[in-house]
Amino acid sequence: MKRTPTKHEYRLCISNEDADDLQIMKLYRVMPDARAAEDDYLRVVDDSGEDYLNPAEYFVRMTLPEKARQAVSSKRKAKRKRPTEFA
């Protein structure tokens, strides 16, 4: 049985063949997707915040220390905040 990523899992990109939008040696957040995992794919979140399917073989699992995980998580939350608009 293939393992589905957890909500807060990160993977390091080690290959980007036919996927120019992936950067080798960059850490990516992956989202749980059991259907994609069945076909050896991962749902990977890019810098825009959008998620895309990519071959699982392009990534290695990373176990981040708690402090690093919190830093990555708070950076992600800061990107989602939108500036206040003034009338």
Side-chain angles (χ1 to χ4, degrees):
M1 180 179 207
K2 296 186 182 358
R3 186 181 168 283
T4 302
T6 61
K7 183 178 177 185
H8 298 288
E9 189 168 315
Y10 295 86
R11 304 263 177 127
L12 183 69
C13 180
I14 58 168
S15 177
N16 64 352
E17 187 177 325
D18 298 324
D20 295 332
D21 55 329
L22 294 176
Q23 296 177 32
I24 294 175
M25 299 305 293
K26 182 172 179 166
L27 195 63
Y28 288 91
R29 182 170 60 100
V30 296
M31 299 177 62
D33 186 330
R35 176 67 182 100
E38 288 176 11
D39 293 328
D40 292 324
Y41 279 81
L42 292 173
R43 187 163 296 281
V44 178
V45 180
D46 70 6
D47 288 338
S48 72
E50 296 295 320
D51 58 272
Y52 299 94
L53 292 177
N54 289 284
E57 66 188 31
Y58 289 5
F59 302 89
V60 292
R61 188 175 306 132
M62 299 294 298
T63 303
L64 298 177
E66 180 63 23
K67 192 170 186 174
R69 191 183 62 73
Q70 289 174 352
V72 172
S73 179
S74 52
K75 179 180 176 186
R76 200 175 85 232
K77 287 177 186 172
K79 277 188 169 183
R80 283 190 282 183
K81 290 183 181 177
R82 291 196 164 80
T84 305
E85 294 182 24
F86 296 97

